[in-house]
Amino acid sequence: MKKIVLIVAVTVACLGTHTAVACFDTYSFLRQHSMVYPKGLLAIEGNSEFVAQELDQADEDLFSGNLNAYYGIADQFSVQASVISAEKPRHEYKADEWAVRGVYGVFKHGRYSLDGILEHHVAMRGGEQVLELSAPSIFNFDRLTVVFHPVLAMGNEMATGARGHGGIFYALGNSILGVGAEYESAQSSANIGRRLVKGEAGTSLFLGSAVSRNLYWQNELIKGWGADGKDIGFAATLKILLPTK
């Protein structure tokens, strides 16, 4: 019988008027240098988020969060499913969106790998849907990982448009440090069609670490930029890793 694990989601993030999740999944860079989860690995992730839009106005603070499940179906293919609470005032916290995604390892040679991602995001009420196609390029130089992630997004209530994010990460044993930047970015998780921050652009500082063989923790400090980019926040993610083979 498989182990039954209680998932604890901790306060996180730095968002603006829309919900989002951590900009990058640093576990994927630390362990396999690809966004494809290993075959036979089940990962369950708890994530919740907090954003301070104005530091002197606590009533403006917003919360969001999601519960994600990842599974490696084949050597080059993994899937993800998510249930999400879109960003809203703390007293309105509830699940109101769901999403699914598939990640395929298109190409890998030497220090370079290219993944293909197809993602579908649906609001439980209102009928809003977003479809995204993206192709993250990942360059691995021993301890150093460089990521470029362009995204094409389209939806029934949004114009088709390009966005993206990038980052540089450095591994220290079972931990990883990184900095990231993005422009109206889709996120690494299945919460798509949303900006991470209130402004058009943002930067992030990452720290990820393997707490044990089955637990991975990630922190993220985020700052939004631009005319409306006054928000600042903190993100944290707890990932539970359950090999099924």
Side-chain angles (χ1 to χ4, degrees), residues 143-224:
R143 293 185 178 184
L144 187 68
T145 300
V146 180
V147 184
F148 297 98
H149 190 170
V151 180
L152 179 66
M154 60 200 78
N156 61 341
E157 296 185 17
M158 62 176 286
T160 299
R163 56 191 74 185
H165 54 169
I168 301 175
F169 303 87
Y170 188 78
L172 297 167
N174 289 324
S175 299
I176 189 168
L177 295 170
V179 291
E182 58 192 284
Y183 176 75
E184 294 191 0
S185 175
Q187 310 307 312
S188 63
S189 189
N191 199 352
I192 65 178
R194 311 291 187 180
R195 288 199 302 238
L196 179 66
V197 291
K198 189 174 182 179
E200 290 185 345
T203 52
S204 302
L205 176 65
F206 295 87
L207 171 61
S209 184
V211 179
S212 68
R213 181 175 179 271
N214 298 105
L215 291 177
Y216 186 82
W217 178 267
Q218 175 177 309
N219 289 333
E220 181 182 0
L221 180 64
I222 315 158
K223 179 67 179 77

Side-chain angles (χ1 to χ4, degrees), residues 59 63 88-94:
D59 291 342
F63 289 80
K88 57 180 68 71
R90 65 193 76 185
H91 62 278
E92 298 178 10
Y93 199 90
K94 63 180 179 180

Side-chain angles (χ1 to χ4, degrees), residues 95-106:
D96 49 17
E97 302 176 7
W98 61 268
V100 292
R101 86 173 346 188
V103 185
Y104 179 71
V106 177

